[in-house]
Amino acid sequence: MQYICYTLGMEFDMKYLSSMRTPKNKAELAFFNEAISKGWNLTRKGWADFFCWKDGKIMVVEVKKKRGHNLKRHQHFLFEQLVKFGVPCYTWTPDGGLKSFPVSKSL
C-alpha cells in the first residue's frame, strides 16, 4: 500500500495529518493526480455525519455520543474551513442537542 501525505492548508500542522492513501479506483486516481498537479490540497478525512438542507439553506452536523466528546483533529480542521466559506457547522449529542461550531485560532 502506498501512502502519500498532503497538507490541508498552510495553518494546519502536519503532525496532525495522517497519511492519505492514493485511490484504488482508476477514475478517482486520475482526478487525484490531476488535482494535485494543479496545486489543490486534498482530504477524504474529517467529513461530517450529515449534510442537511431545507428551504434553500444548508448545514453540516457531526453526531457525538455525549456532550464533551470532541471533534477529531481532521473534523475540526474541515469544520474550520467550511465555516470560513460560510457553511454552518454543528455538533449534536443526545444529551446536549445541536451546538454551533466555533472557529478557533489554533488547533
Side-chain angles (χ1 to χ4, degrees), residues 67-100:
R67 196 172 3 162
H69 284 199
N70 296 322
L71 294 172
K72 294 175 183 169
R73 292 188 190 279
H74 286 88
Q75 292 170 326
H76 190 275
F77 176 78
L78 190 62
F79 270 35
E80 282 185 329
Q81 301 312 304
L82 290 171
V83 167
K84 287 178 186 177
F85 285 98
V87 177
C89 297
Y90 299 88
T91 56
W92 183 90
T93 60
D95 61 342
L98 197 64
K99 302 287 181 194
S100 181

Side-chain angles (χ1 to χ4, degrees), residues 44-59:
R44 294 182 118 176
K45 293 186 175 200
W47 292 100
D49 292 316
F50 294 95
F51 177 85
C52 312
W53 65 97
K54 175 182 162 182
D55 301 327
K57 297 179 184 178
I58 63 168
M59 68 177 178

